[in-house]
Amino acid sequence: MRQPHFLVVIVNYNSTGYLERCLRSLSKLELAPQEILVYDNSSSPRDRARLIELTKEDYGFTCIFGDKNLGFGAGVNRAIMSARSGWDYVWVLNPDMIVAPSSLGLLSDAMTSQESDIASPLILDCNDKIWFAGGDVDTKRGRATHVGIGEAFKSPGGDVIESTFITGAAPLVSRRAWKRLGGFREDLFLYWEDADLSLRAMQAGYRMIVVPEAKSWHHQGGSSEGGVGPTYIYYVQRNRIVLFREYGPVYGLLFGRGGFETFKLATLPFRSGKKDLWQKVVASLRGMVDGIRVTL
C-alpha cells in the first residue's frame, strides 16, 4: 500500500526571519513531507536576498518568486498549482509557525482514524498559552471564535476536538477536499479566507478536527508585517462584510446581531496602541466603506 504524500505550502511576505525557524522545525519532522514549497509574494529586495540564501541551506524546499503581491489565498493556490502531481495532503503553514517533530504524523493518523478531511494541530502562542484549539464561525454576528484562547495549556488527552472552524495558520487538507472546495478564495486578499473555507467545508459535509497531541507554536502577526496595523484593520473590516454579507443583510451585520462585533472592530484602532493611530482609524473606516461597496 502506497504511503500518502504530503505537500507543505508556505506563503512568505517579508517574513524570512520567521520562515527560517519554520523551515528548521520542518526539517525535524518524524514524518517528512515529500515536497515543501515557499511562495514569495513579491517581498522587499532585502527579504528576497535572504530567501535566496535560505534556498542554499539544507532545508529541502523550493521557492517560487511571484512578481507581485497576490495576497495569502492566491499565493497558496498558485503554489499548489505548481506542485508535483501525486500529493495526497497539503499542509498550509504560516511562515511564523513552528511545528513539533511528531505533529505531521499525529495529524495524518488522526485524519485517517477519524475519517476527517481537514485538521489542525493545537496551536500555542509564544508564552505556551492556547491560541487555537478549535472554534466556530457565527454568520449572524459576523465573527470567528477561538476556543480557550489565552488559557494556560494543559497536557492534552488523546481525543480529537470537533470544530466548525479551522484557522488558516496550519490546516492539513486532503486532496479531495481541496480540489472540491477549489482552494482559498482569492478576492479577500488577506484575512477571513479560513472562515470562508471552513463554512464551505461544513456545507460540503467535510469533518474538521483539531488534534491536541499535535503541537505547534504561532507568532501572531509575524506573517503579515507587524500584527494589528492599518493593513490588518482594513482587511479585517472589509472582508468581514464581504464574507458575511453572503449569509445575511448588511444592516443586520453592522447594527443588528452583528452590532457588537462592528463596535469592537470600530474601536480596535484605539485599543491597539498609539502607533499609527489615525492611519488605523482611516483604515477601519475605509475597510467598512469598501466592504459595503463591494456588496452593492
Side-chain angles (χ1 to χ4, degrees), residues 12-17 40 43-51:
N12 178 70
Y13 181 67
N14 294 329
S15 302
T16 51
D40 183 71
S43 295
S44 68
R46 180 178 178 180
D47 203 74
R48 282 200 166 193
R50 178 57 187 145
L51 188 51

Side-chain angles (χ1 to χ4, degrees), residues 91 97-103 106 121-124 128 153 156 211-217:
W91 199 10
M97 291 293 301
I98 296 175
V99 298
S102 61
S103 55
L106 290 168
L122 173 73
I123 304 178
L124 306 175
D128 270 351
F153 168 68
V211 184
E213 292 183 322
K215 290 170 60 179
S216 61
W217 292 263

Side-chain angles (χ1 to χ4, degrees), residues 155-232:
S155 182
D159 295 336
V160 302
I161 300 168
E162 296 273 358
S163 185
T164 56
F165 167 62
I166 293 293
T167 175
L172 181 64
V173 186
S174 71
R175 184 185 185 94
R176 70 171 183 173
W178 187 265
K179 294 294 185 182
R180 180 177 175 186
L181 296 173
F184 281 122
R185 182 172 171 173
E186 298 189 4
D187 64 319
L188 299 179
F189 189 78
L190 192 64
Y191 302 120
W192 291 105
E193 306 95 329
D194 48 8
D196 171 72
L197 189 74
S198 296
L199 287 168
R200 290 189 286 119
M202 287 291 293
Q203 292 167 354
Y206 289 119
R207 188 181 185 208
M208 297 182 287
I209 62 173
V210 177
V211 184
E213 292 183 322
K215 290 170 60 179
S216 61
W217 292 263
H218 178 41
H219 190 289
Q220 188 178 15
S223 57
S224 55
E225 289 199 302
V228 184
T231 299
Y232 172 89

